[in-house]
Amino acid sequence: SAVISQKPSRDICQRGTSLTIQCQVDSQVTMMFWYRQQPGQSLTLIATANQGSEATYESGFVIDKFPISRPNLTFSTLTVSNMSPEDSSIYLCSVRTGGIPYYGYTFGSGTRLTVV
Amino acid sequence: RKEVEQDPGPFNVPEGATVAFNCTYSNSASQSFFWYRQDCRKEPKLLMSVYSSGNEDGRFTAQLNRASQYISLLIRDSKLSDSATYLCVVNLPGGSYIPTFGRGTSLIVHP
């Protein structure tokens, strides 16, 4: 399965600032996924990032708040913009492995963000 | 109603016990099902897929009941190292196979 390097692993940021999270995959993948996991909650999909096209955002998430880049098939970034304490969460990138319909998902180690 | 529901627990069991978790899903057309394990402050990792006929991997057995729309995970002879959160994951219908995660069920295995 793919190996994902995600950084930073954690950060404490001032409100109003932005943080960019990076994910590097050791193989080429068509789709990369960005999730948020708030304390005690499940994973919520933010957006799907395809190389060469605009990311597809889920309901409740917008590009201005969470801009995503996907410059090639092994790399993606998620920016959390104009942060507020409500953005404190764990952010995870993920890639799909396996075949239809039993896709599995491999995750990066996560970015633990605290906004103060 | 949430698409994927799990009892958050925690389930607190002694070593050697057998414990089972259920997960219900709301969309009858859901196509594939999984159990993931998430350790504290770690990312989720695939534990096992859940096949229509049920499947077993060592001490772990997964079952799918399409009629009642639930999947289950049975852990036999619990080990201390089984302590974790177990996430139920369902792939909704449609070509994109985007997964929906349950909140997870916490398991604590004590000596």
PDB file of all heavy atoms in Angstrom, chain A residues 23-41:
ATOM      1  N   CYS A  23       1.038  16.855   1.942  1.00  0.00           N
ATOM      2  CA  CYS A  23       1.077  15.392   1.898  1.00  0.00           C
ATOM      3  C   CYS A  23       1.831  14.935   0.653  1.00  0.00           C
ATOM      4  O   CYS A  23       1.509  15.355  -0.457  1.00  0.00           O
ATOM      5  CB  CYS A  23      -0.328  14.799   1.904  1.00  0.00           C
ATOM      6  SG  CYS A  23      -0.991  14.622   3.568  1.00  0.00           S
ATOM      7  N   GLN A  24       2.805  14.079   0.893  1.00  0.00           N
ATOM      8  CA  GLN A  24       3.612  13.502  -0.180  1.00  0.00           C
ATOM      9  C   GLN A  24       3.390  11.991  -0.187  1.00  0.00           C
ATOM     10  O   GLN A  24       3.529  11.351   0.851  1.00  0.00           O
ATOM     11  CB  GLN A  24       5.094  13.804   0.063  1.00  0.00           C
ATOM     12  CG  GLN A  24       6.034  13.220  -0.975  1.00  0.00           C
ATOM     13  CD  GLN A  24       6.011  14.005  -2.270  1.00  0.00           C
ATOM     14  OE1 GLN A  24       6.153  15.225  -2.275  1.00  0.00           O
ATOM     15  NE2 GLN A  24       5.833  13.312  -3.386  1.00  0.00           N
ATOM     16  N   VAL A  25       3.050  11.448  -1.348  1.00  0.00           N
ATOM     17  CA  VAL A  25       2.790  10.016  -1.476  1.00  0.00           C
ATOM     18  C   VAL A  25       3.953   9.377  -2.235  1.00  0.00           C
ATOM     19  O   VAL A  25       4.516   9.992  -3.146  1.00  0.00           O
ATOM     20  CB  VAL A  25       1.471   9.768  -2.236  1.00  0.00           C
ATOM     21  CG1 VAL A  25       1.078   8.297  -2.160  1.00  0.00           C
ATOM     22  CG2 VAL A  25       0.360  10.629  -1.685  1.00  0.00           C
ATOM     23  N   ASP A  26       4.267   8.146  -1.886  1.00  0.00           N
ATOM     24  CA  ASP A  26       5.421   7.495  -2.507  1.00  0.00           C
ATOM     25  C   ASP A  26       5.093   6.831  -3.847  1.00  0.00           C
ATOM     26  O   ASP A  26       5.932   6.161  -4.440  1.00  0.00           O
ATOM     27  CB  ASP A  26       6.037   6.464  -1.556  1.00  0.00           C
ATOM     28  CG  ASP A  26       5.141   5.251  -1.328  1.00  0.00           C
ATOM     29  OD1 ASP A  26       3.930   5.335  -1.641  1.00  0.00           O
ATOM     30  OD2 ASP A  26       5.643   4.243  -0.835  1.00  0.00           O
ATOM     31  N   SER A  27       3.865   7.028  -4.321  1.00  0.00           N
ATOM     32  CA  SER A  27       3.479   6.504  -5.618  1.00  0.00           C
ATOM     33  C   SER A  27       2.457   7.456  -6.235  1.00  0.00           C
ATOM     34  O   SER A  27       1.885   8.295  -5.538  1.00  0.00           O
ATOM     35  CB  SER A  27       2.891   5.096  -5.489  1.00  0.00           C
ATOM     36  OG  SER A  27       1.786   5.113  -4.613  1.00  0.00           O
ATOM     37  N   GLN A  28       2.244   7.313  -7.537  1.00  0.00           N
ATOM     38  CA  GLN A  28       1.286   8.199  -8.207  1.00  0.00           C
ATOM     39  C   GLN A  28      -0.138   7.736  -7.931  1.00  0.00           C
ATOM     40  O   GLN A  28      -0.451   6.551  -8.083  1.00  0.00           O
ATOM     41  CB  GLN A  28       1.567   8.215  -9.712  1.00  0.00           C
ATOM     42  CG  GLN A  28       2.912   8.851 -10.052  1.00  0.00           C
ATOM     43  CD  GLN A  28       3.123   8.967 -11.553  1.00  0.00           C
ATOM     44  OE1 GLN A  28       2.537   8.233 -12.342  1.00  0.00           O
ATOM     45  NE2 GLN A  28       3.953   9.918 -11.951  1.00  0.00           N
ATOM     46  N   VAL A  29      -0.975   8.666  -7.547  1.00  0.00           N
ATOM     47  CA  VAL A  29      -2.374   8.356  -7.255  1.00  0.00           C
ATOM     48  C   VAL A  29      -3.257   9.385  -7.926  1.00  0.00           C
ATOM     49  O   VAL A  29      -2.923  10.566  -7.976  1.00  0.00           O
ATOM     50  CB  VAL A  29      -2.652   8.327  -5.727  1.00  0.00           C
ATOM     51  CG1 VAL A  29      -1.943   7.173  -5.075  1.00  0.00           C
ATOM     52  CG2 VAL A  29      -2.252   9.632  -5.064  1.00  0.00           C
ATOM     53  N   THR A  30      -4.396   8.922  -8.414  1.00  0.00           N
ATOM     54  CA  THR A  30      -5.299   9.835  -9.115  1.00  0.00           C
ATOM     55  C   THR A  30      -5.995  10.779  -8.138  1.00  0.00           C
ATOM     56  O   THR A  30      -6.067  11.981  -8.349  1.00  0.00           O
ATOM     57  CB  THR A  30      -6.352   9.039  -9.899  1.00  0.00           C
ATOM     58  OG1 THR A  30      -5.684   8.126 -10.767  1.00  0.00           O
ATOM     59  CG2 THR A  30      -7.236   9.976 -10.717  1.00  0.00           C
ATOM     60  N   MET A  31      -6.512  10.204  -7.078  1.00  0.00           N
ATOM     61  CA  MET A  31      -7.312  10.999  -6.151  1.00  0.00           C
ATOM     62  C   MET A  31      -6.651  11.050  -4.776  1.00  0.00           C
ATOM     63  O   MET A  31      -6.144  10.038  -4.293  1.00  0.00           O
ATOM     64  CB  MET A  31      -8.719  10.400  -6.015  1.00  0.00           C
ATOM     65  CG  MET A  31      -9.495  10.352  -7.325  1.00  0.00           C
ATOM     66  SD  MET A  31     -10.994   9.352  -7.219  1.00  0.00           S
ATOM     67  CE  MET A  31     -12.056  10.478  -6.324  1.00  0.00           C
ATOM     68  N   MET A  32      -6.675  12.223  -4.196  1.00  0.00           N
ATOM     69  CA  MET A  32      -6.276  12.375  -2.796  1.00  0.00           C
ATOM     70  C   MET A  32      -7.432  13.019  -2.052  1.00  0.00           C
ATOM     71  O   MET A  32      -8.182  13.813  -2.621  1.00  0.00           O
ATOM     72  CB  MET A  32      -5.009  13.214  -2.669  1.00  0.00           C
ATOM     73  CG  MET A  32      -3.770  12.504  -3.214  1.00  0.00           C
ATOM     74  SD  MET A  32      -2.257  13.461  -3.023  1.00  0.00           S
ATOM     75  CE  MET A  32      -1.983  13.350  -1.262  1.00  0.00           C
ATOM     76  N   PHE A  33      -7.571  12.650  -0.806  1.00  0.00           N
ATOM     77  CA  PHE A  33      -8.702  13.088  -0.005  1.00  0.00           C
ATOM     78  C   PHE A  33      -8.199  13.820   1.226  1.00  0.00           C
ATOM     79  O   PHE A  33      -7.196  13.440   1.825  1.00  0.00           O
ATOM     80  CB  PHE A  33      -9.547  11.883   0.426  1.00  0.00           C
ATOM     81  CG  PHE A  33     -10.003  11.021  -0.718  1.00  0.00           C
ATOM     82  CD1 PHE A  33      -9.216   9.971  -1.156  1.00  0.00           C
ATOM     83  CD2 PHE A  33     -11.204  11.278  -1.359  1.00  0.00           C
ATOM     84  CE1 PHE A  33      -9.623   9.175  -2.220  1.00  0.00           C
ATOM     85  CE2 PHE A  33     -11.615  10.480  -2.423  1.00  0.00           C
ATOM     86  CZ  PHE A  33     -10.823   9.430  -2.853  1.00  0.00           C
ATOM     87  N   TRP A  34      -8.929  14.850   1.615  1.00  0.00           N
ATOM     88  CA  TRP A  34      -8.615  15.582   2.833  1.00  0.00           C
ATOM     89  C   TRP A  34      -9.781  15.458   3.806  1.00  0.00           C
ATOM     90  O   TRP A  34     -10.932  15.716   3.440  1.00  0.00           O
ATOM     91  CB  TRP A  34      -8.348  17.053   2.527  1.00  0.00           C
ATOM     92  CG  TRP A  34      -7.030  17.249   1.850  1.00  0.00           C
ATOM     93  CD1 TRP A  34      -6.785  17.386   0.510  1.00  0.00           C
ATOM     94  CD2 TRP A  34      -5.757  17.344   2.492  1.00  0.00           C
ATOM     95  NE1 TRP A  34      -5.433  17.547   0.280  1.00  0.00           N
ATOM     96  CE2 TRP A  34      -4.782  17.526   1.480  1.00  0.00           C
ATOM     97  CE3 TRP A  34      -5.333  17.289   3.821  1.00  0.00           C
ATOM     98  CZ2 TRP A  34      -3.423  17.658   1.766  1.00  0.00           C
ATOM     99  CZ3 TRP A  34      -3.988  17.414   4.097  1.00  0.00           C
ATOM    100  CH2 TRP A  34      -3.044  17.604   3.083  1.00  0.00           C
ATOM    101  N   TYR A  35      -9.449  15.052   5.042  1.00  0.00           N
ATOM    102  CA  TYR A  35     -10.443  14.843   6.083  1.00  0.00           C
ATOM    103  C   TYR A  35     -10.151  15.736   7.283  1.00  0.00           C
ATOM    104  O   TYR A  35      -9.010  16.135   7.528  1.00  0.00           O
ATOM    105  CB  TYR A  35     -10.419  13.391   6.569  1.00  0.00           C
ATOM    106  CG  TYR A  35     -11.010  12.387   5.608  1.00  0.00           C
ATOM    107  CD1 TYR A  35     -10.225  11.794   4.627  1.00  0.00           C
ATOM    108  CD2 TYR A  35     -12.346  12.011   5.703  1.00  0.00           C
ATOM    109  CE1 TYR A  35     -10.759  10.861   3.758  1.00  0.00           C
ATOM    110  CE2 TYR A  35     -12.887  11.077   4.836  1.00  0.00           C
ATOM    111  CZ  TYR A  35     -12.089  10.503   3.866  1.00  0.00           C
ATOM    112  OH  TYR A  35     -12.617   9.572   3.011  1.00  0.00           O
ATOM    113  N   ARG A  36     -11.193  15.962   8.061  1.00  0.00           N
ATOM    114  CA  ARG A  36     -11.046  16.616   9.362  1.00  0.00           C
ATOM    115  C   ARG A  36     -11.653  15.680  10.408  1.00  0.00           C
ATOM    116  O   ARG A  36     -12.705  15.078  10.176  1.00  0.00           O
ATOM    117  CB  ARG A  36     -11.793  17.958   9.356  1.00  0.00           C
ATOM    118  CG  ARG A  36     -11.679  18.723  10.658  1.00  0.00           C
ATOM    119  CD  ARG A  36     -12.280  20.111  10.529  1.00  0.00           C
ATOM    120  NE  ARG A  36     -13.727  20.099  10.464  1.00  0.00           N
ATOM    121  CZ  ARG A  36     -14.458  21.181  10.302  1.00  0.00           C
ATOM    122  NH1 ARG A  36     -13.877  22.360  10.134  1.00  0.00           N
ATOM    123  NH2 ARG A  36     -15.768  21.110  10.272  1.00  0.00           N
ATOM    124  N   GLN A  37     -10.983  15.592  11.540  1.00  0.00           N
ATOM    125  CA  GLN A  37     -11.494  14.795  12.650  1.00  0.00           C
ATOM    126  C   GLN A  37     -11.456  15.637  13.902  1.00  0.00           C
ATOM    127  O   GLN A  37     -10.386  15.895  14.457  1.00  0.00           O
ATOM    128  CB  GLN A  37     -10.698  13.507  12.833  1.00  0.00           C
ATOM    129  CG  GLN A  37     -11.309  12.579  13.875  1.00  0.00           C
ATOM    130  CD  GLN A  37     -10.589  11.249  13.982  1.00  0.00           C
ATOM    131  OE1 GLN A  37      -9.382  11.161  13.738  1.00  0.00           O
ATOM    132  NE2 GLN A  37     -11.309  10.203  14.352  1.00  0.00           N
ATOM    133  N   GLN A  38     -12.625  16.076  14.341  1.00  0.00           N
ATOM    134  CA  GLN A  38     -12.712  16.874  15.561  1.00  0.00           C
ATOM    135  C   GLN A  38     -12.742  15.948  16.762  1.00  0.00           C
ATOM    136  O   GLN A  38     -13.095  14.766  16.634  1.00  0.00           O
ATOM    137  CB  GLN A  38     -13.929  17.797  15.474  1.00  0.00           C
ATOM    138  CG  GLN A  38     -13.745  18.832  14.359  1.00  0.00           C
ATOM    139  CD  GLN A  38     -14.923  19.746  14.159  1.00  0.00           C
ATOM    140  OE1 GLN A  38     -16.045  19.303  14.038  1.00  0.00           O
ATOM    141  NE2 GLN A  38     -14.647  21.042  14.120  1.00  0.00           N
ATOM    142  N   PRO A  39     -12.372  16.459  17.925  1.00  0.00           N
ATOM    143  CA  PRO A  39     -12.253  15.594  19.111  1.00  0.00           C
ATOM    144  C   PRO A  39     -13.512  14.777  19.363  1.00  0.00           C
ATOM    145  O   PRO A  39     -14.620  15.316  19.396  1.00  0.00           O
ATOM    146  CB  PRO A  39     -12.001  16.606  20.236  1.00  0.00           C
ATOM    147  CG  PRO A  39     -11.356  17.774  19.554  1.00  0.00           C
ATOM    148  CD  PRO A  39     -12.000  17.857  18.203  1.00  0.00           C
ATOM    149  N   GLY A  40     -13.343  13.476  19.492  1.00  0.00           N
ATOM    150  CA  GLY A  40     -14.460  12.593  19.788  1.00  0.00           C
ATOM    151  C   GLY A  40     -15.401  12.361  18.631  1.00  0.00           C
ATOM    152  O   GLY A  40     -16.448  11.736  18.799  1.00  0.00           O
ATOM    153  N   GLN A  41     -15.037  12.858  17.477  1.00  0.00           N
ATOM    154  CA  GLN A  41     -15.918  12.746  16.315  1.00  0.00           C
ATOM    155  C   GLN A  41     -15.306  11.856  15.249  1.00  0.00           C
ATOM    156  O   GLN A  41     -14.136  11.487  15.318  1.00  0.00           O
ATOM    157  CB  GLN A  41     -16.201  14.123  15.720  1.00  0.00           C
ATOM    158  CG  GLN A  41     -16.846  15.091  16.689  1.00  0.00           C
ATOM    159  CD  GLN A  41     -18.208  14.627  17.157  1.00  0.00           C
ATOM    160  OE1 GLN A  41     -19.027  14.173  16.355  1.00  0.00           O
ATOM    161  NE2 GLN A  41     -18.453  14.701  18.446  1.00  0.00           N
TER     162      GLN A  41
END
